[in-house]
Amino acid sequence: GVRARPQSAPASRSTGGGGAGFDTFGFGSLDGVRGIDPPRRGMPPPAEPKPKPPSAFARLKRALLAPIFGKPPNPPASVDVVARSRELRVSWRPGERTSPHNADEYVLEVSSAEPRVPFAEFYRGEACAFVVTRLQPERRFDVRVRCVNRSGASRWRAIENVRTAQVPVGCGGVGPTTRPGETYGWDQTPTTVELRVPAPDGTTPRDVRVVVRTRRLEVSCGGEIVVAGELSGDVLCQDGDYEWELRDAGEGGDGAKEVFVTLEKRVAAENVDEKYRPEAQWASVFAGREHPRVDLLELRWLRDVDYRPPQDARNVEEVAAALPGMRIDTSRDSTRERGSDGDIGDWGGNWRKSSA
C-alpha cells in the first residue's frame, strides 16, 4: 500500500502504515490522477551531519549500561515539513540528550487529516530526516515525531494540517473565490502574474472594480468582492503598471465572462537580467492558507517572449547558453517553425545562419 523512502538512515527500518485502505485517504496509488508526469526530484530536506559510527566496544557498553543508567529521552527540538505535490519531506533536530548511555531512536507517524484516520508509523531509526512518498496532491496530513529508548518515550512533537502542493497547470494553478464551489485560475512568467476571475452573469465593464496595491489585490463585480487578499509578492501598482479586461471565458459559447487581470512583479534592479529559477517564482497568487500552493519543482515553462534567446543567436549552442537546462530538439529545422504562442512569428529564423 504505502511506500516510504528513508533519507540516508543508517541502521534504520521503515514500516508501511495502514495498508491498502489508505489509498482512499490520500496515501498509496496515484491511479486516480491522470495526465500528470512523474515529479522531478528536487533537493533533499536539510539533515543533521551524519555522526561517526560508534565502535563495537561503545555499542556493547551502551547495550549493557542502558537498562541501568539510561533515562527517558527529550522530544525533538523542532520538526520541519516541506510539502511537495506527492511527498512530505520531514526533518527534525534532536533534543538535548538525557544520558550518554541512551540508545535513542526516532519514530515518525503520519495521519490523513481529511478524512481523519489513525496515525500510522512510517519510520523508526536514528536518522533525523525522512521522505514520505506516494501521497496525493492537495490533501491534508498530520505529522508527529518523538524520541524513544529502552527507558521510555518522549512526548510527540507535531505539525498539523500539512497540505501537499497542487500540481501546477503551466506555471500556475487554481484557487477558491468567495462564492462556494467557484475557482479562479492563474499563471505567471518571471515578470508577470495573470489572474482569471469568473464574473457573474450579466456583468458589464462598468460593474468591475479592480484595486491593486503593492502587496494586495481586490476584484469586485457588481459591488460583490469575488477575490481579495494579500499577494505572495510585491507588484507595481501605478496607473499603466497593471491591466484588466472583461472577456469571454473559454470557447464554449455559453456567454460566460471572466475578468482577466495582468500584474507586473516588482523585480529588484540587480535581478532584472537574472535567468529563470523555479524556486524564485510564486507558489500562489494569494498568501492566505486557504489558497493552494503549487509545486515549484513541477512548473512547466511554456512561454515568455522576454525570456527567449536573442533573435540574433548564431547557432543552437548560443541558444542553449541563453536558456541553461532547457532541452533543445535539434531534429527539427527551427527556421520553418510557425505558431501562435505570443509573437513567435518566424522567431529563430537566424539560429543556423553561421552553424557551418
Side-chain angles (χ1 to χ4, degrees):
V2 178
R3 295 183 181 177
R5 169 160 51 89
Q7 187 80 15
S8 61
S12 65
R13 59 185 183 274
S14 60
T15 59
F22 270 56
D23 290 357
T24 307
F25 306 115
F27 296 89
S29 173
L30 293 177
D31 292 340
V33 182
R34 305 295 183 187
I36 300 175
D37 296 333
R40 291 172 285 180
R41 296 185 183 273
M43 297 299 294
E48 297 292 325
K50 186 181 297 184
K52 184 178 180 180
S55 64
F57 175 75
R59 293 196 299 270
L60 177 61
K61 180 181 177 181
R62 179 180 294 177
L64 294 175
L65 297 180
I68 303 174
F69 299 103
K71 296 180 180 179
N74 284 321
S78 62
V79 177
D80 180 66
V81 180
V82 177
R84 295 280 313 276
S85 61
R86 299 177 180 87
E87 65 186 30
L88 297 177
R89 301 182 175 193
V90 188
S91 60
W92 54 91
R93 290 195 302 112
E96 184 179 357
R97 292 184 67 90
T98 56
S99 171
H101 305 291
N102 284 353
D104 294 341
E105 288 186 326
Y106 298 97
V107 178
L108 166 66
E109 293 187 352
V110 181
S111 169
S112 172
E114 50 179 8
R116 178 70 62 182
V117 297
F119 278 95
E121 182 176 309
F122 275 72
Y123 170 75
R124 180 185 293 262
E126 298 177 3
C128 293
F130 190 79
V131 181
V132 182
T133 61
R134 296 187 64 80
L135 304 178
Q136 292 186 6
E138 298 187 75
R139 304 297 289 268
R140 295 187 183 274
F141 299 91
D142 295 336
V143 178
R144 64 183 186 182
V145 182
R146 70 176 177 179
C147 187
V148 299
N149 60 31
R150 290 188 178 184
S151 300
S154 72
R155 62 182 176 84
W156 291 101
R157 183 77 71 180
I159 297 182
E160 298 180 345
N161 284 323
V162 179
R163 185 174 187 171
T164 49
Q166 185 179 96
V167 177
V169 179
C171 288
V174 298
T177 69
T178 58
R179 294 193 286 266
E182 190 176 71
T183 60
Y184 63 84
W186 70 281
D187 201 356
Q188 66 180 319
T189 74
T191 56
T192 62
V193 176
E194 300 171 350
L195 192 69
R196 304 180 304 278
V197 181
D201 293 340
T203 299
T204 66
R206 291 180 178 273
D207 299 326
V208 179
R209 182 171 181 265
V210 178
V211 179
V212 180
R213 298 289 182 262
T214 301
R215 210 177 177 99
R216 181 175 175 82
L217 171 66
E218 179 179 308
V219 179
S220 303
C221 294
E224 176 189 2
I225 296 178
V226 183
V227 292
E230 179 186 359
L231 296 171
S232 294
D234 291 348
V235 298
L236 303 180
C237 56
Q238 300 299 319
D239 291 341
D241 291 334
Y242 63 92
E243 300 175 351
W244 68 266
E245 64 172 321
L246 183 66
R247 67 181 194 182
D248 293 334
E251 300 178 355
D254 55 359
K257 299 287 186 179
E258 67 180 9
V259 180
F260 184 76
V261 183
T262 303
L263 305 174
E264 185 173 350
K265 297 179 182 178
R266 183 182 296 276
V267 181
E270 61 271 17
N271 297 328
V272 169
D273 296 327
E274 185 179 29
K275 295 296 186 294
Y276 161 69
R277 294 183 298 118
E279 65 274 13
Q281 308 311 308
W282 290 15
S284 63
V285 174
F286 297 102
R289 289 179 57 88
E290 68 274 17
H291 299 277
R293 272 64 174 159
V294 300
D295 192 335
L296 293 179
L297 296 183
E298 292 192 40
L299 297 183
R300 298 292 184 265
W301 203 250
L302 303 177
R303 61 189 175 87
D304 189 6
V305 176
D306 295 338
Y307 276 70
R308 287 173 172 166
Q311 293 197 18
D312 60 351
R314 291 173 296 179
N315 50 46
V316 175
E317 287 70 27
E318 289 192 11
V319 174
L323 292 177
M326 173 175 281
R327 292 180 298 177
I328 298 177
D329 183 5
T330 58
S331 63
R332 299 184 301 176
D333 184 358
S334 63
T335 64
R336 301 181 181 277
E337 290 293 329
R338 293 290 185 273
S340 58
D341 181 8
D343 298 323
I344 187 170
D346 60 350
W347 174 75
N350 297 322
W351 283 12
R352 302 176 184 272
K353 65 182 181 182
S354 63
S355 59

